[in-house]
Amino acid sequence: AIRMTQSPSSLSASTGDRVNMTCRASQDIRSNLAWYQQKRGKAPRLLIHAASTLQNGVPARFSGSGSGTDFTLTISCLQSEDFATYYCLHYYNYFALTFGGGTEVEI
Amino acid sequence: QLQLQESGPGLVKPSETLSLSCTASGGSISSSSHYWGWIRQSPGKGLEWIGSIFYSGTTSYNPSLESRVTLSVDTSTNNFSLRVDSVTTADTAVYFCVRHLGGLVRGVLYMDVWGQGTTVTVSS
């Protein structure tokens, strides 16, 4: 199985900040990575797929980068509605899909 | 716009079977570009992919759950279902039904549509 490790597990930030969080895969997954945002009591929302492709309707302040084993989600100018938990997901061919443990972005 | 809605009992006794259904509206599950799946979320184990099914019945399961899980699909009613046998308290979670991008060639890819989730508690 491919393990996904996110860091940090939580971070404190202020509105207007630039925020980075990382996701590391235990083996090469090429660009088969997605990022999700989850607010309390809600289903996760797709932000990015193929490591860097922004999902339709997602604000341009969100961006993703990386390939292979190391990936980054960046929020360029944090807004109040961005305080949430963010998860990465790998979907590399024929391996069981697995999520990272999440990064909680708090005020 | 496609929407998914889970339904099923919120309480299941240990050793019994958990059964959930997901109904799709605003779109057809008979799509060659999508799989239909289940994800669960518990405080102890985070988000966990359970398995996914193509409209023709082709399935893909998480190996850690495969021995206890069965997915089925009913294209006539536009819904798909999850069954988990021999449940324990570790199966207590919020269960989400989802749509995956993908297909028989590309496989099971990321999820782009989620149901709101339903809480299932395993307790006597």
Side-chain angles (χ1 to χ4, degrees):
Chain A
I2 297 176
R3 286 196 62 181
M4 307 300 293
T5 303
Q6 287 187 247
S7 61
S9 56
S10 65
L11 64 90
S12 295
S14 301
T15 54
D17 284 354
R18 180 182 181 89
V19 168
N20 291 308
M21 62 194 77
T22 65
C23 178
R24 174 164 287 176
S26 60
Q27 65 185 74
D28 186 349
I29 59 169
R30 304 200 180 181
S31 296
N32 294 288
L33 186 102
W35 288 97
Y36 293 85
Q37 176 194 66
Q38 187 179 32
K39 296 183 179 179
R40 193 172 301 276
K42 300 292 189 182
R45 170 196 178 199
L46 176 65
L47 299 175
I48 285 167
H49 60 93
S52 61
T53 301
L54 202 63
Q55 177 69 357
N56 290 342
V58 174
R61 64 181 180 273
F62 291 92
S63 63
S65 63
S67 67
T69 60
D70 293 310
F71 302 86
T72 300
L73 175 68
T74 299
I75 309 173
S76 61
C77 182
L78 200 65
Q79 301 298 300
S80 57
E81 61 265 33
D82 300 336
F83 292 97
T85 301
Y86 293 83
Y87 295 95
C88 62
L89 165 80
H90 97 76
Y91 50 94
Y92 188 53
N93 299 349
Y94 308 113
F95 286 87
L97 282 67
T98 50
F99 292 87
T103 293
E104 182 179 8
V105 177
E106 52 193 7
I107 300 172
Chain B
Q1 182 177 351
L2 182 83
Q3 292 186 311
L4 300 173
Q5 178 67 59
E6 306 89 351
S7 59
L11 181 64
V12 182
K13 290 183 167 53
S15 80
E16 295 191 346
T17 295
L18 179 163
S19 294
L20 296 175
S21 183
C22 181
T23 300
S25 58
S28 172
I29 66 170
S30 299
S31 165
S32 61
S33 301
H34 299 97
Y35 268 81
W36 307 90
W38 294 89
I39 307 290
R40 70 182 184 180
Q41 186 171 30
S42 59
K45 292 195 75 174
L47 287 161
E48 182 176 35
W49 171 66
I50 299 170
S52 306
I53 188 165
F54 196 64
Y55 78 92
S56 63
T58 298
T59 53
S60 180
Y61 293 115
N62 188 327
S64 69
L65 296 167
E66 186 168 11
S67 63
R68 297 193 295 126
V69 169
T70 304
L71 299 189
S72 58
V73 62
D74 185 345
T75 55
S76 67
T77 57
N78 221 33
N79 79 42
F80 56 102
S81 299
L82 167 70
R83 194 179 92 175
V84 182
D85 296 325
S86 306
V87 297
T88 70
T89 55
D91 295 307
T92 294
V94 177
Y95 286 76
F96 298 97
C97 60
V98 297
R99 184 180 79 172
H100 296 267
L101 275 292
L104 290 181
V105 174
R106 294 197 295 165
V108 181
L109 306 182
Y110 58 93
M111 301 76 69
D112 68 338
V113 178
W114 295 64
Q116 66 183 24
T118 188
T119 299
V120 177
T121 302
V122 178
S123 175
S124 55

